Amino acid sequence: MNLFDLSLQFNGFPIKKAERILKGIQAQPDQAFEAYVENKKNEIVTYHIQNNSFYSNLVNDVKVTDWNSIPVITKRDLQIPLQDRLSAGYNLKNVYINKTSGSSGDPFIFAKDYECHALTWAVIKNRFGWYGLDFNSSKQARFYGIPLDKKGYYKERFKDFLSSRFRFSVFDLSDSAFEGYIRNFKSTPFAYLNGYTSSIGQFAKYLERKNLVLKAICPTLKACVVTSEMLFDSDKLRMEKQFGVPVINEYGASELDLIAFQNLENDWQINSETLYVEILDEANNVLPLGDEGRVVITSLYNQAHPFIRYDIGDIGILSEKSSVKKPILKKLIGRTNDMAVLPSGKKAAGLTFYYITKSIIEDDGLVKEFIIQQTHLNTFKIMYVGVKVLSEEKMQQIRDEMTRYLEPNLTVIFERQEVLERSKSGKLKQFSSLIE
């Protein structure tokens, strides 16, 4: 039974229709594909100018046919209540709503129309299919976080059941936790690993210390897919050696789509079917292939919410061998998260702090940006830009979450600032450790 597809259909996401649309896009010859992209760009901009008052006010009187005249937008532009950003005919009850992880320091709530979200899953399924992986049948070892509140926890566990996956917590990356992982891999026919790069990398280091190869323990393994954080060559080599399977690099953004996926030729192939990706300089000029610049993306199918020339906050390079139909991401700079090392010796992935700080990620715009620094073994500083100082109740709530997700007796300092220091790329690193 195709539980994953059925669950999407049941929740209103027309996955079968989306897969037919995707196949039609992919069947277009190279010569026709450029015209397809240009048509979709003009179509989505025109749609939002005519149907989205927020976007039409943002762009003023641009010429739809002059793509370079269309302004670049950032998360800051979008940090107003969600209902004020939706197109005509859409409301909070008939769209897919989610939050970004806040890894860039600019968290916000976004929406997609149901067909757009179904297309997102169609693309993801297509890319995993390159490696013989099927969300309906291939068992996934999932290295992601999970909410610890009862409702959120069981919701994610149910989604895991429908998606044929078992979730390994990234909140505890100790050797004792990894010993439990090994027992699971011995008893479960996993087809692939999928999750945060840093967490899976720590598991590979454990296997290296123990002189173990995961495929020898779990012979059904086919691949490992890493996402959300930078994958360095040395880490990839270690993972492939200790897992005994290919390591596949994924680059995505929850508000957009799957952006790039490592293909069978070992190239980081960009999703040209539902996205239009540009590399721009600081003056918003399109850079030649091979030059380093800002990654700016247009969602070609999201009618509910405009993501047009959207600066995702990363720096990247498009390969010189790119074509309109098959653009290749040569290099991505950023998306690295440090590990948190606690007084007990326990380690936790940097993205753990998304789950801890989610209480300050609100749609009312009170907190615009935040970063977290580990200043000492037991001390964490949360620096934020907000309309007003966080209440004592909210600060205590975050301290309690630190204890629940990590361990007790941690010191949490809150510091409201006018602006937050950004990296050279212009991106905020959500978590960084200042200790050796």
Side-chain angles (χ1 to χ4, degrees):
M1 183 182 296
N2 295 336
L3 282 179
F4 183 77
D5 286 358
L6 286 172
S7 68
L8 287 173
Q9 291 285 161
F10 180 77
N11 284 292
F13 307 119
I15 186 62
K16 294 304 179 187
K17 178 182 178 182
E19 289 178 331
R20 288 194 299 271
I21 292 171
L22 182 62
K23 285 181 180 178
I25 297 169
Q26 294 173 334
Q28 297 189 60
D30 292 355
Q31 311 91 284
F33 202 83
E34 186 169 357
Y36 155 75
V37 172
E38 289 303 311
N39 179 60
K40 291 304 297 182
K41 284 162 56 182
N42 293 340
E43 190 178 284
I44 197 67
V45 172
T46 301
Y47 180 89
H48 283 297
I49 288 174
Q50 294 177 349
N51 295 279
N52 190 295
S53 58
F54 160 75
Y55 187 72
S56 62
N57 290 332
L58 192 68
V59 301
N60 294 318
D61 297 321
V62 300
K63 291 183 179 179
V64 174
T65 54
D66 180 9
W67 185 255
N68 291 329
S69 73
I70 296 168
V72 173
I73 61 176
T74 69
K75 285 183 181 177
R76 288 188 178 186
D77 296 313
L78 302 174
Q79 285 186 328
I80 63 172
L82 178 60
Q83 60 265 26
D84 295 338
R85 290 181 263 132
L86 295 178
S87 299
Y90 293 100
N91 57 61
L92 299 181
K93 293 183 179 180
N94 67 0
V95 293
Y96 167 77
I97 298 174
N98 203 352
K99 296 175 183 167
T100 64
S101 67
S103 60
S104 65
D106 290 317
F108 78 109
I109 297 176
F110 65 89
K112 296 180 183 180
D113 61 79
Y114 285 174
E115 186 169 300
C116 175
H117 190 57
L119 272 167
T120 293
W121 278 114
V123 171
I124 294 170
K125 287 181 63 183
N126 175 259
R127 298 316 195 248
F128 276 71
W130 289 349
Y131 295 88
L133 303 174
D134 183 346
F135 284 10
N136 288 294
S137 58
S138 301
K139 188 72 173 179
Q140 177 190 139
R142 189 170 182 81
F143 287 71
Y144 277 76
I146 189 169
L148 295 183
D149 63 283
K150 186 176 288 187
K151 181 180 178 182
Y153 178 86
Y154 284 109
K155 180 180 179 181
E156 290 302 313
R157 287 297 188 194
F158 182 62
K159 287 163 64 177
D160 288 343
F161 167 74
L162 294 175
S163 304
S164 189
R165 62 198 189 200
F166 179 85
R167 190 177 299 240
F168 293 88
S169 174
V170 298
F171 302 136
D172 183 0
L173 300 175
S174 62
D175 281 7
S176 60
F178 289 143
E179 288 170 11
Y181 289 11
I182 294 295
R183 290 192 292 272
N184 275 291
F185 276 97
K186 284 181 178 178
S187 60
T188 307
F190 289 111
Y192 65 111
L193 301 89
N194 186 19
Y196 301 148
T197 308
S198 59
S199 307
I200 292 177
Q202 289 296 311
F203 186 38
K205 288 179 180 178
Y206 167 80
L207 294 170
E208 186 177 51
R209 291 196 301 272
K210 298 296 182 180
N211 197 26
L212 297 171
V213 175
L214 195 58
K215 189 168 176 63
I217 296 167
C218 182
T220 52
L221 275 184
K222 294 181 180 180
C224 169
V225 182
V226 294
T227 190
S228 293
E229 299 158 346
M230 185 69 72
L231 174 63
F232 295 100
D233 290 341
S234 58
D235 294 326
K236 183 177 181 180
L237 288 172
R238 179 188 295 110
M239 290 178 194
E240 291 187 330
K241 179 182 176 183
Q242 301 307 141
F243 297 150
V245 296
V247 172
I248 303 155
N249 203 358
E250 177 190 85
Y251 172 37
S254 55
E255 67 268 40
L256 293 169
D257 211 321
L258 187 151
I259 300 170
F261 199 80
Q262 183 181 315
N263 64 24
L264 297 173
E265 290 77 46
N266 209 34
D267 288 326
W268 220 357
Q269 184 172 330
I270 286 176
N271 166 14
S272 62
E273 295 99 315
T274 67
L275 300 178
Y276 178 65
V277 178
E278 302 173 90
I279 303 295
L280 306 184
D281 64 15
E282 289 304 313
N284 295 336
N285 298 309
V286 177
L287 289 167
L289 297 176
D291 282 10
E292 178 183 302
R294 294 151 53 226
V295 181
V296 174
I297 303 177
T298 297
S299 177
L300 299 174
Y301 282 89
N302 192 352
Q303 295 187 343
H305 187 292
F307 284 108
I308 297 168
R309 303 202 88 192
Y310 169 65
D311 188 336
I312 195 171
D314 287 331
I315 300 295
I317 301 172
L318 285 179
S319 170
E320 294 85 345
K321 63 181 181 181
S322 296
S323 66
V324 175
K325 188 171 185 179
K326 191 178 178 181
I328 302 297
L329 186 61
K330 184 176 183 179
K331 186 178 180 182
L332 180 69
I333 300 165
R335 291 211 155 194
T336 303
N337 283 291
D338 291 340
M339 301 297 298
V341 181
L342 306 175
S344 66
K346 177 181 174 181
K347 295 179 180 179
L351 284 182
T352 301
F353 292 91
Y354 162 58
Y355 295 91
I356 294 171
T357 57
K358 68 176 182 178
S359 58
I360 65 171
I361 301 175
E362 298 177 347
D363 196 31
D364 56 14
L366 290 180
V367 174
K368 296 292 185 182
E369 300 177 322
F370 68 94
I371 57 175
I372 304 166
Q373 290 181 343
Q374 183 177 13
T375 58
H376 300 87
L377 204 58
N378 67 338
T379 306
F380 296 83
K381 182 191 289 186
I382 298 177
M383 293 174 284
Y384 65 96
V385 175
V387 176
K388 59 183 180 180
V389 176
L390 286 173
S391 67
E392 183 56 42
E393 178 184 0
K394 187 149 287 188
M395 289 190 286
Q396 187 58 48
Q397 185 181 354
I398 293 172
R399 293 188 187 102
D400 292 342
E401 292 293 281
M402 286 276 202
T403 297
R404 187 154 69 119
Y405 279 86
L406 299 171
E407 61 185 49
N409 303 317
L410 297 175
T411 299
V412 185
I413 300 168
F414 297 87
E415 189 176 288
R416 182 179 173 225
Q417 299 187 353
E418 291 299 318
V419 294
L420 298 177
E421 184 179 352
R422 305 182 102 82
S423 68
K424 184 179 178 182
S425 69
K427 186 174 181 178
L428 290 173
K429 194 173 183 182
Q430 187 192 28
F431 173 78
S432 59
S433 177
L434 304 183
I435 64 175
E436 292 294 324

